[in-house]
């Protein structure tokens, strides 16, 4: 039972353009969402998060959007840079459960 | 600030052999997590410690997996005996507390190959 799904295993974007990574979830109890970024041979690193009381959170080039009615969140990277090439995981958490549930990841490749 | 340290980085063993992974969390972090990451999947929580107490081990296969966190700092995850399906990356993470808003910092992981 995959509660957090990233349906695109890979995404290729030209440098300078917008990258949009998508994530869907099924559990309506999730109330906190995060994006992690992972380079090869390294552990995931926290990128940005959003609480269910918000629909948008922005940090520099990164913006996360949350659509609770659709149970969908997305990560926008503008402009995309070569260093953004990595695997991106979305994760969700239930308040009080203190347990992250991760999606399968999307490999983003930024082409020069 | 030093990050989460894990060793070994890579381990190759034959099936039915025992194996152990070690994790040193970020100094001052009370909460420690062990995750399993299969190829092409996201990390899945195996066990969470608050100081030296295992507060969530519901996903830990207790017939062959064990973990400990003596003195509430370093932690060891053990598999005995290992099976072919245990081949994966084992990630350790730590956070200041188990609060939802406390960032989890991950180590580089141990890649286990069982032959």
């Amino acid at each position: 039972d995959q509660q957090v799904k990233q349906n695109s295993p890979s995404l290729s974007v030209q440098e300078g353009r917008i990258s949009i990574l998508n994530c869907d979830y099924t559990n309506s109890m999730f109330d906190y969402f995060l994006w992690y970024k992972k380079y090869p041979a390294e552990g995931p690193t926290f990128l940005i998060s959003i609480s269910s009381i918000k629909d948008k959170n922005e940090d520099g080039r990164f913006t996360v959007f949350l659509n609770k009615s659709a149970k969908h969140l997305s990560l926008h990277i503008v402009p995309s840079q070569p260093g953004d090439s990595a695997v991106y995981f979305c994760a969700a958490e239930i308040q009080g459960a203190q347990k992250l549930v991760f999606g399968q990841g999307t490999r983003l490749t930024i082409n020069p | 600030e030093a990050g989460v340290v894990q060793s070994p980085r890579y381990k190759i063993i034959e099936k039915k052999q025992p194996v152990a992974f070690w994790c040193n969390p970020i100094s001052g972090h009370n909460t420690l997590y062990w995750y399993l990451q299969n190829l092409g999947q996201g990390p899945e929580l195996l066990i969470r410690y608050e100081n030296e107490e295992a507060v969530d081990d519901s996903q830990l296969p207790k017939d062959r997996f064990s973990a400990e966190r003596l003195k509430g700092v370093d932690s060891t995850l053990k598999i005995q005996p290992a099976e072919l399906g245990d081949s994966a990356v084992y990630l350790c993470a730590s956070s200041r507390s188990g609060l939802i808003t406390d960032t989890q910092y991950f180590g580089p992981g141990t890649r286990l190959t069982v032959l």
Side-chain angles (χ1 to χ4, degrees), chain B residues 1-36:
Chain B
E1 181 179 77
V4 176
V5 179
Q6 290 188 247
S7 69
R9 291 294 309 276
Y10 304 91
K11 188 74 176 179
I12 301 174
I13 61 171
E14 304 225 336
K15 63 180 179 182
K16 301 186 181 179
Q17 295 300 305
V19 65
F21 314 123
W22 175 81
C23 173
N24 179 240
I26 292 173
S27 177
H29 281 194
N30 296 319
T31 308
L32 185 146
Y33 311 78
W34 283 102
Y35 286 87
L36 164 70

Side-chain angles (χ1 to χ4, degrees), chain A residues 100 102, chain B residues 34-38 41-47 59:
Chain A
L100 285 176
F102 284 85
Chain B
W34 283 102
Y35 286 87
L36 164 70
Q37 185 177 13
N38 286 305
Q41 301 295 316
E44 299 172 45
L45 181 68
L46 288 173
I47 189 168
Q59 301 303 310

Side-chain angles (χ1 to χ4, degrees), chain A residues 32 36 41 43 89 93 98 102-103, chain B residues 9 37 42-43 48 98 100 104 107:
Chain A
Y32 195 69
Y36 276 80
F89 292 98
E93 193 164 14
Q98 297 169 323
F102 284 85
Chain B
R9 291 294 309 276
Q37 185 177 13
R48 174 171 67 93
I100 198 171
Q104 291 187 31

Side-chain angles (χ1 to χ4, degrees), chain A residues 87-105:
Chain A
V87 177
Y88 289 79
F89 292 98
C90 69
E93 193 164 14
I94 300 172
Q95 182 74 259
Q98 297 169 323
K99 177 178 178 177
L100 285 176
V101 179
F102 284 85
Q104 309 96 308

Side-chain angles (χ1 to χ4, degrees), chain A residues 60-105:
Chain A
R61 297 186 297 113
F62 302 91
T63 303
V64 56
F65 294 91
L66 176 62
N67 183 332
K68 289 186 290 294
S69 61
K71 295 189 177 68
H72 177 83
L73 71 157
S74 61
L75 174 68
H76 292 208
I77 306 173
V78 181
S80 300
Q81 299 175 353
D84 297 329
S85 295
V87 177
Y88 289 79
F89 292 98
C90 69
E93 193 164 14
I94 300 172
Q95 182 74 259
Q98 297 169 323
K99 177 178 178 177
L100 285 176
V101 179
F102 284 85
Q104 309 96 308

